[in-house]
Amino acid sequence: MNASSGSSDDRPAHDETPPLALTIGEPAGIGPEISLKAWGLRDREALPAFFAIGDAACYRETASRLGVDIPVKRISQPGDALSVFKHAFPVLDLPLATAARPGELAPANAAAVIGAIDLACDLTLKGEASGIVTSPIHKRVLYEAGFKLPGHTEYLAERVGGSPVMMLSCPGLRVALVTIHMPLKAVAEHLSTSAIAQTGTTLAHALRSDFGIDAPRLAVAALNPHGGEEGHLGREEIDIIAPAIPLIRDTGAEVTGPLPADTLFHERARESYDAVLCMYHDQALIPLKTIDFERGVNTTLGLSIVRTSPDHGTALDIAGKGLAHPGSLVEAIRQAGEIAWNRRRRTAGAGA
């Protein structure tokens, strides 16, 4: 799988790049904990500057509970984070309605959770933040507070426009999904040549603009065992998936498939492509989480803004216990910074 073609020597100086906005997510979950832990790894992991949008008191209480000496500093505007980030955890303060208690959901705080997403979105659209990293939300609480959309991805798409595509990645693998959260029995009836072509086209463009891969290579997964065995185990490959492949090739990408999923994810196979276009959720997520469970990242392609997120939930059962691993958030921050830089580089090149 290709790495970004840009070298670190070409990257703009920190003072030229706005910081990333990190939303608090569900304050009773592990979001505040892994955010602080990620900041603590900023030097070791060479992370780009970021600031949190959330309740500064919640972050301070979390640091105290963890027994770590992490200074939390309120900032008045995103640009302040560039200097503060080196020595303190910068927070654009957005107070909660009630103090967060680990593992205990408080519907009264739903408005602040949504407000953090809205503010991050606004700041990114204005160019004051270079992208958004969203901490996990608890959807039921937000639904009860009037949240009308299935999740973060749909909400951001409604705010900024675009046709979002969910891409999950870990070191060594990128997978994009044609269908996402639906029963397995419904997948075949929801697949269409146009949906596969649109998802593949968005993926190919994103590999160029967001990941610096000038000649992307895509592998398209089959739906049925053994690729349908020439129609004997299902005709979706012949009737639906294969006709989408030349449409994706029109982007200039190298596209192979449909390929049987059971031989698509071993180490040697992964050297032959930059991303896999998968037909359904578990086809993509099982290999990804097997390869690297703790460093998976959810990236929303097809938006005008940069958005990544850790590939896990709120983990209410371990919140407040100091057990949460920050690896997925660290990778989400790193990837958001990479995408933001690649977009700035291409924009600068186009304007030259």
Side-chain angles (χ1 to χ4, degrees):
M1 188 176 80
N2 283 355
S4 169
S5 62
S7 80
S8 59
D9 293 339
D10 299 327
R11 293 180 183 271
H14 285 303
D15 60 355
E16 298 175 7
T17 307
L20 297 167
L22 171 61
T23 63
I24 191 170
E26 171 50 57
I30 62 172
E33 176 181 335
I34 59 175
S35 297
L36 291 168
K37 287 180 174 178
W39 181 86
L41 296 170
R42 67 199 181 287
D43 292 331
R44 194 187 83 181
E45 299 289 344
L47 294 180
F50 63 85
F51 63 96
I53 301 178
D55 191 310
C58 177
Y59 289 108
R60 289 195 180 99
E61 290 164 8
T62 301
S64 176
R65 190 178 300 112
L66 293 173
V68 294
D69 183 20
I70 294 180
V72 174
K73 183 175 178 59
R74 288 188 179 92
I75 58 174
S76 59
Q77 57 188 3
D80 296 341
L82 295 174
S83 58
V84 170
F85 185 74
K86 301 172 185 177
H87 57 83
F89 183 83
V91 180
L92 202 57
D93 195 25
L94 193 63
L96 297 170
T98 184
R101 297 173 61 88
E104 298 181 17
L105 296 172
N109 287 331
V113 173
I114 298 171
I117 301 169
D118 287 338
L119 182 54
C121 196
D122 292 342
L123 292 171
T124 304
L125 286 170
K126 290 190 293 184
E128 295 183 47
S130 60
I132 304 173
V133 181
T134 56
S135 294
I137 56 175
H138 197 282
K139 295 175 185 176
R140 177 176 61 80
V141 174
L142 299 188
Y143 294 155
E144 292 173 357
F147 196 75
K148 302 297 185 183
L149 295 165
H152 265 132
T153 300
E154 296 82 0
Y155 188 74
L156 289 171
E158 185 174 84
R159 285 291 312 271
V160 306
S163 299
V165 167
M166 180 183 290
M167 187 188 81
L168 289 302
S169 61
C170 68
L173 180 64
R174 300 183 187 96
V175 289
L177 283 67
V178 177
T179 66
I180 305 176
H181 297 124
M182 64 176 58
L184 188 57
K185 67 179 181 180
V187 169
E189 64 185 77
H190 281 84
L191 284 179
S192 68
T193 297
S194 61
I196 296 168
Q198 180 179 348
T199 305
T201 297
T202 299
L203 175 59
H205 287 318
L207 289 174
R208 286 194 184 91
S209 65
D210 295 352
F211 295 92
I213 300 172
D214 293 328
R217 303 166 301 162
L218 306 186
V220 178
L223 175 67
N224 296 299
H226 305 298
E229 290 281 16
E230 299 180 335
H232 295 288
L233 294 178
R235 291 192 55 84
E236 286 81 7
E237 287 73 20
I238 297 170
D239 297 337
I240 299 173
I241 302 175
I245 289 177
L247 302 178
I248 303 171
R249 285 194 184 120
D250 286 344
T251 65
E254 176 185 322
V255 188
T256 55
L259 300 170
D262 63 345
T263 59
L264 195 49
F265 297 102
H266 62 83
E267 186 174 3
R268 186 185 302 173
R270 297 200 305 273
E271 295 174 356
S272 67
Y273 54 73
D274 300 302
V276 182
L277 187 59
C278 294
M279 298 299 110
Y280 61 94
H281 184 277
D282 284 9
Q283 186 180 67
L285 272 292
I286 289 174
L288 184 94
K289 293 190 176 185
T290 299
I291 291 169
D292 198 330
F293 184 79
E294 292 180 333
R295 292 192 290 171
V297 178
N298 179 357
T299 302
T300 305
L301 309 179
L303 299 179
S304 61
I305 62 172
V306 176
R307 183 263 174 150
T308 67
S309 179
D311 182 30
H312 58 67
T314 56
L316 296 174
D317 56 325
I318 62 170
K321 299 178 180 178
L323 302 176
H325 195 290
S328 184
L329 179 60
V330 166
E331 292 300 324
I333 294 167
R334 189 196 317 281
Q335 190 166 117
E338 176 187 352
I339 294 172
W341 177 76
N342 276 318
R343 288 190 182 186
R344 284 169 61 84
R345 179 174 65 93
R346 284 189 173 265
T347 300

